[in-house]
Amino acid sequence: MSLIKISPSILSADFSKLGNEIQDLEKAGADLIHIDVMDGHFVPNITIGPDVISKLRKYTNLPFDVHLMISPVHNFIKDFADAGADIITIHPEATNDLISSIEKIKSYNKKVGISLNPETSVDKVFSILNLIDLVLIMSVNPGFGGQKFIKETLNKVKLIRKEIDLKKLKTEIEIDGGINFENSKIAIEAGVNIIVSGTTIFKENSGNLKKNIQTLKTG
Ligand code: DX5
Ligand code: ZN
């Protein structure tokens, strides 16, 4: 099993000082910065867009793990690539032509992630695992931080891990939503290698980012 990486979600950060929050996450040992982009249409919440992301880019060299919950997503891919995203993750339901959206992300030399909602089947990614860099398993319905972890989604992690290992691929598996110190261990056992967390990282142990990141990483 490869090393576990932590991708803190800035959805739980103080939006009035995002630059400082990102610097604090880097100091605390974050591996990536998870940025949730919501449009009030694909999901019932609105967050930030490419202009804010491009302004944040100078605060860290950590990879920007950009989770796009916007639809239709295809024509916005360039904006997020230009803004400094390193990984661009999209939902299959948000594009008319998944393969062409994957190719578009790749054309900007960005890593491609495909995200599966709790109700979305693994079939959506099984045949394209060799084309993508990452599968993002949503363990809550996307839209808000602080929701309860849906443990059944770990069955999909296990299936995808088996398939990736069988095919000897390097595709990563990331989990997102409701992660705490208990279920993170189970998720890692199921085959996840990147953990997203907002609430646990920013709120547990009086917001001790370093301790929270370390605990999620080592269990
Ligand atoms: C939910 C987002 C998540 C969220 C995770 O739609 O994709 O990244 O911020 O937050 P917690 O860890 O609070 O569930
Ligand atoms: Zn997310």
Side-chain angles (χ1 to χ4, degrees):
M1 187 69 239
S2 51
L3 230 56
I4 305 303
K5 291 184 264 189
I6 307 296
S7 189
S9 165
I10 57 168
L11 194 57
S12 296
D14 181 342
F15 270 38
S16 71
K17 47 170 188 161
L18 277 180
N20 296 337
E21 296 275 61
I22 285 174
Q23 285 176 328
D24 288 347
L25 288 169
E26 178 168 7
K27 277 186 223 140
D31 298 286
L32 306 144
I33 301 293
H34 188 85
I35 303 177
D36 289 305
V37 178
M38 306 185 186
D39 66 352
H41 165 72
F42 186 70
V43 289
N45 195 5
I46 300 177
T47 56
I48 59 170
D51 290 345
V52 175
I53 295 175
S54 72
K55 293 286 189 301
L56 292 174
R57 193 54 284 188
K58 67 173 185 288
Y59 286 87
T60 181
N61 289 320
L62 289 180
F64 276 179
D65 171 25
V66 177
H67 179 192
L68 297 182
M69 288 161 272
I70 63 175
S71 168
V73 69
H74 192 83
N75 289 338
F76 286 102
I77 289 170
K78 181 180 191 305
D79 294 338
F80 289 95
D82 291 346
D86 296 281
I87 304 169
I88 298 181
T89 295
I90 62 173
H91 287 250
E93 296 86 355
T95 178
N96 290 328
D97 185 345
L98 186 57
I99 298 296
S100 119
S101 293
I102 289 172
E103 279 165 1
K104 188 160 187 185
I105 296 171
K106 285 185 170 177
S107 75
Y108 301 113
N109 288 318
K110 305 299 180 181
K111 289 191 173 179
V112 182
I114 300 297
S115 181
L116 301 182
N117 279 345
E119 299 306 322
T120 306
S121 159
V122 292
D123 295 344
K124 289 271 183 219
V125 290
F126 254 45
S127 57
I128 55 165
L129 283 173
N130 59 328
L131 301 179
I132 63 179
D133 299 284
L134 179 150
V135 180
L136 175 62
I137 298 292
M138 288 307 301
S139 41
V140 297
N141 284 302
F144 300 93
Q147 301 184 72
K148 190 176 178 296
F149 182 76
I150 303 170
K151 66 172 186 308
E152 289 75 17
T153 57
L154 290 177
N155 295 330
K156 291 195 287 189
V157 171
K158 289 178 194 160
L159 288 170
I160 293 167
R161 169 55 60 203
K162 210 172 150 189
E163 190 70 9
I164 288 170
D165 290 350
L166 194 76
K167 291 183 176 160
K168 297 190 167 49
L169 297 171
K170 292 202 162 54
T171 323
E172 302 194 84
I173 307 181
E174 180 173 32
I175 195 155
D176 183 8
I179 290 290
N180 57 35
F181 298 132
E182 284 73 45
N183 58 33
S184 60
K185 288 181 215 149
I186 317 170
I188 291 167
E189 273 166 29
V192 158
N193 71 295
I194 306 177
I195 290 180
V196 176
S197 165
T199 307
T200 296
I201 286 178
F202 282 94
K203 310 278 186 243
E204 285 296 324
N205 295 304
S206 313
N208 185 334
L209 303 176
K210 190 169 185 175
K211 184 172 182 180
N212 295 338
I213 287 173
Q214 203 53 40
T215 310
L216 285 174
K217 200 176 268 202
T218 55

